[in-house]
Amino acid sequence: MGRPSRLPGTDVVDQIVCHVDIDCFYAACERLREPALRDQPLVIGMGYEPGEETGAVATASYEAREYGVESAQAISEALERLPRKREAARRDDLAVADAAFYRPVDMEYYESVGAAVKEILQESATVVREVSIDEAYLDVTERASWSDIESYARKLKQEIAETVGVTASIGVAPTMSAAKVASDHDKPDGLVVVQPDEVADFFAPLDVEAVHGIGPVTAQQLREEGIQTAGDLAETDPTRLEEWFGERGRQIYRFARGEDERTVEPRGKPKSFSRESAFAEATDDPSRQHDRLQTLATAVAQRADRRDVLYQTISIKVVTPPFDIQTRARSLPGPVADEDLVQSIVADLFEEFAGESIRKLGVRVANLSFTGETQSQLGEWASESETGSTREHSSSRENSPDGSNRQGQRSLTEFE
Ligand code: TTP
Ligand code: MG
């Protein structure tokens, strides 16, 4: 197996594409740092505070979607369908069970959770195309085969759930557009594999609106022409579609037939590099702890080095039983690429944990530069340490970042 190649004599690319999309992403992030929001109707958006008038829903949890609340809806409409818990609790005519929690958008925090997911994806595939904060295409042709792709995808979902704490839906197919449709097909927590010989059967019964590139307006136009399903669209004369929609008509025709010759090409740069490793059982053996930390430091520094990346923040993550996460970060005055320095800083940061029983360790370098500017000398850095602590998968709001830009706080959320 190698990178995707065209099947002999055809236009068909021989590749395995995974499309990964996190379920109700902003809501999932809020639930990470405020576990009381789990299983509750939850709306993320702006403009719901008293005195504010306009604003839109960014996303809603699946519990809230059952009330018809959805992305891009006016917040006033969302509040009508699903009042705030706080409001419902005050009034006799509103049931608290039929009300939702509302939270404002906190992009900086969501970016840090998104970066942690992307890091796992970068490790899991040969090529990753990041398309939005919570979504990416993976070329996994070299990492799996069609016979074991389901277990590959299941492991990837599990790793995202265990490491970051959010659920992903994954679609696998031989083309990007089919993989995208497949990941949407069984949300939330979906896993849909469309084998190469199943593409036509998979598409045929789907509503035209499920086809990649077709929004509600186009879907309505198609329905008015009697084209209800992707199967109908696949059998429509493409010249008619071209008359109606121009070049895009050809494209949706091809997508509805499962034809898409694009290959997954990279875009976007990593925000950090990290490695974590759990002990089989928690250990208080200082030499095992030290060795593990040094191995992680070397792995991370070498990975950054291979990509010609400099870093300015170095941090460690220490998980003690049962699941308490502590992070310690140190920022340097300028970007460096120095394996020995990473090793000595992580050893320094770890000193305060001497004697403790440790379950898991992690090392991260962040604040990356890709241009290879001047490298700081060791003596120059007047370092600044930051600390943070939280509980794995159940960090509370009090422990979460307060929105300031301090280095250590960013590293805290990146580890969550
Ligand atoms: P999506 O992946 O489209 O939506 P989602 O993750 O909330 O829900 P799901 O994937 O389970 O259907 O978008 C990712 C995030 O982008 C979403 O959590 C919030 C933000 N977003 C907006 O702010 N406005 C929008 O109109 C949309 C669609 C998304
Ligand atoms: Mg999503």
Side-chain angles (χ1 to χ4, degrees):
M1 278 185 291
R3 283 274 285 129
S5 53
R6 277 169 216 285
L7 291 176
T10 72
D11 248 0
V12 180
V13 178
D14 182 17
Q15 62 178 342
I16 305 178
V17 181
C18 280
H19 181 259
V20 180
D21 189 302
I22 307 301
D23 303 322
C24 58
F25 181 58
Y26 293 2
C29 293
E30 292 298 342
R31 285 170 164 174
L32 264 183
R33 62 181 178 183
E34 199 180 351
L37 299 174
R38 286 183 196 160
D39 306 320
Q40 292 286 337
L42 170 62
V43 180
I44 313 300
M46 291 295 190
Y48 56 84
E49 292 291 354
E52 292 174 16
E53 305 265 294
T54 52
V57 173
T59 196
S61 70
Y62 280 79
E63 293 81 358
R65 292 181 197 190
E66 284 179 18
Y67 292 82
V69 177
E70 58 186 22
S71 293
Q73 192 168 60
I75 206 89
S76 52
E77 191 182 341
L79 284 164
E80 260 168 46
R81 291 172 187 266
L82 208 45
R84 288 183 80 173
K85 291 269 187 203
R86 197 185 285 178
E87 174 75 7
R90 268 201 299 267
R91 289 177 38 182
D92 293 338
D93 59 328
L94 298 174
V96 174
D98 288 325
F101 290 103
Y102 281 72
R103 292 289 178 268
V105 172
D106 178 355
M107 279 317 294
E108 195 182 344
Y109 174 55
Y110 307 151
E111 296 279 1
S112 71
V113 179
V117 173
K118 300 288 168 58
E119 220 183 285
I120 294 173
L121 302 184
Q122 294 285 355
E123 289 277 295
S124 309
T126 317
V127 184
V128 177
R129 182 174 189 89
E130 301 185 4
V131 284
S132 79
I133 190 168
D134 80 329
E135 182 190 348
Y137 291 93
L138 277 54
D139 175 359
V140 298
T141 319
E142 286 180 349
R143 303 290 178 101
S145 64
W146 284 110
S147 60
D148 64 12
I149 188 65
E150 187 162 336
S151 88
Y152 166 91
R154 202 168 295 288
K155 278 196 204 113
L156 181 55
K157 273 165 68 83
Q158 199 179 341
E159 196 181 348
I160 294 169
E162 283 172 4
T163 311
V164 187
V166 297
T167 60
S169 290
I170 298 186
V172 187
T175 67
M176 290 173 72
S177 55
K180 163 103 179 160
V181 175
S183 80
D184 236 9
H185 194 63
D186 200 17
K187 258 181 175 293
D189 204 15
L191 169 49
V192 173
V193 176
V194 184
Q195 297 279 339
D197 60 355
E198 296 170 353
V199 176
D201 287 348
F202 170 70
F203 272 103
L206 300 181
D207 189 286
V208 275
E209 209 172 325
V211 175
H212 188 41
I214 299 186
V217 176
T218 308
Q220 191 49 37
Q221 282 172 282
L222 289 167
R223 286 186 198 113
E224 280 163 17
E225 297 293 337
I227 300 164
Q228 307 280 352
T229 65
D232 297 340
L233 183 57
E235 282 163 21
T236 304
D237 178 357
T239 52
R240 279 177 70 206
L241 293 166
E242 209 169 351
E243 279 163 26
W244 297 333
F245 304 110
E247 179 52 33
R248 206 166 62 87
R250 286 237 168 230
Q251 195 187 41
I252 58 175
Y253 169 78
R254 291 173 56 73
F255 283 173
R257 299 169 68 85
E259 296 168 6
D260 177 4
E261 67 289 347
R262 293 174 298 161
T263 55
V264 181
E265 299 299 337
R267 185 167 70 187
K269 290 175 177 164
K271 298 258 188 327
S272 62
F273 295 108
S274 73
R275 273 284 162 83
E276 302 190 4
S277 170
F279 293 103
E281 270 178 22
T283 177
D284 56 8
D285 179 344
S287 72
R288 284 186 68 203
Q289 294 173 347
H290 174 84
D291 290 353
R292 187 67 63 93
L293 202 58
Q294 294 303 313
T295 306
L296 294 169
T298 303
V300 168
Q302 291 185 351
R303 212 159 110 223
D305 206 35
R306 276 199 300 277
R307 300 194 188 188
D308 274 338
V309 172
L310 305 181
Y311 34 85
Q312 201 168 342
T313 302
I314 295 161
S315 49
I316 60 165
K317 167 176 172 176
V318 178
V319 183
T320 53
F323 295 106
D324 290 313
I325 302 179
Q326 315 241 37
T327 60
R328 297 293 182 270
R330 189 169 291 173
S331 291
L332 312 175
V336 300
D338 185 339
E339 186 180 322
D340 293 344
L341 185 57
V342 178
Q343 289 186 330
S344 81
I345 288 178
V346 300
D348 248 25
L349 292 171
F350 188 66
E351 255 173 32
E352 70 177 276
F353 299 95
E356 284 194 43
S357 175
I358 310 282
R359 191 187 176 105
K360 193 185 206 182
L361 288 167
V363 171
R364 177 185 301 268
V365 295
N367 210 344
L368 307 179
S369 339
F370 296 83
T371 46
E373 293 136 16
T374 348
Q375 190 162 332
S376 287
Q377 297 302 305
L378 216 158
E380 264 176 36
W381 50 277
S383 67
E384 165 205 329
S385 292
E386 296 284 351
T387 60
S389 75
T390 180
R391 283 174 67 80
E392 197 157 36
H393 299 315
S394 61
S395 57
S396 72
R397 203 169 180 82
E398 287 69 40
N399 285 333
S400 65
D402 62 11
S404 76
N405 287 323
R406 288 160 52 201
Q407 283 293 358
Q409 291 189 329
R410 173 177 288 270
S411 72
L412 166 65
T413 55
E414 278 174 356
F415 276 132
E416 277 169 4

